């Protein structure tokens, strides 16, 4: 974790590890879509952000902040869904080309990324 302006954010390596964990978890063909969502939430839901304000915030500003954070969360959720769809398709295509199973493709990715610190 690193700190930017007092907000603790996951490191690039932690994000890469989360991504590999999610690919592994949601690839289970016996998981239902709801089960996959639950696993995804548990795998990456550990990151949260707290904010402390030093001034009073009006009820209207509180509502706007809540609406803004909800919109940001929805946007990231939609992006994650798009990424998941593309990743699943690319993994499938790679598996078809190489003859490897989904698990073997993901294991290969994990090995390829094992020496990467996630910064570049």
């Amino acid at each position: 974790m690193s700190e930017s302006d007092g907000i603790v954010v996951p490191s690039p390596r932690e994000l890469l590890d989360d991504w590999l964990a999610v690919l592994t978890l949601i690839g289970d063909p016996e998981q239902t879509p709801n089960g996959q969502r639950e696993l995804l939430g548990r795998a990456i839901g550990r990151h949260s952000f707290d904010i402390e304000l030093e001034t009073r915030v009006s009820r209207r500003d509180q509502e706007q902040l809540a609406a803004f954070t909800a919109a940001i969360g929805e946007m990231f959720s939609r992006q994650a869904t798009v990424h998941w769809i593309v990743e699943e398709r690319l993994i499938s295509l790679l598996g078809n080309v190489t003859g490897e199973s989904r698990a073997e493709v993901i294991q290969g990715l994990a090995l390829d990324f094992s020496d990467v610190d996630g910064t570049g």
Side-chain angles (χ1 to χ4, degrees), residues 46-107:
R46 63 189 161 101
H47 302 299
S48 64
F49 302 95
D50 294 321
I51 184 170
E52 290 184 28
L53 303 176
E54 294 183 11
T55 58
R56 275 185 78 87
V57 178
S58 70
R59 169 73 69 196
R60 182 172 183 272
D61 287 345
Q62 287 176 7
E63 291 169 356
Q64 286 183 328
L65 285 168
F68 174 75
T69 55
I72 292 285
E74 179 64 23
M75 181 190 70
F76 283 127
S77 176
R78 289 179 183 184
Q79 284 179 333
T81 299
V82 169
H83 292 177
W84 176 72
I85 291 168
V86 171
E87 290 158 1
E88 287 299 303
R89 184 66 181 135
L90 290 173
I91 289 169
S92 177
L93 289 169
L94 183 58
N96 289 339
V97 169
T98 63
E100 294 178 324
S101 69
R102 184 183 193 288
E104 291 169 325
V105 169
I106 293 171
Q107 184 178 27

Side-chain angles (χ1 to χ4, degrees), residues 22-61:
V22 167
L23 285 179
T24 301
L25 289 171
I26 62 176
D28 183 353
E30 295 184 17
Q31 278 293 332
T32 65
N34 285 338
Q36 288 178 341
R37 267 192 294 278
E38 184 179 318
L39 287 171
L40 178 64
R42 277 189 287 177
I44 63 173
R46 63 189 161 101
H47 302 299
S48 64
F49 302 95
D50 294 321
I51 184 170
E52 290 184 28
L53 303 176
E54 294 183 11
T55 58
R56 275 185 78 87
V57 178
S58 70
R59 169 73 69 196
R60 182 172 183 272
D61 287 345

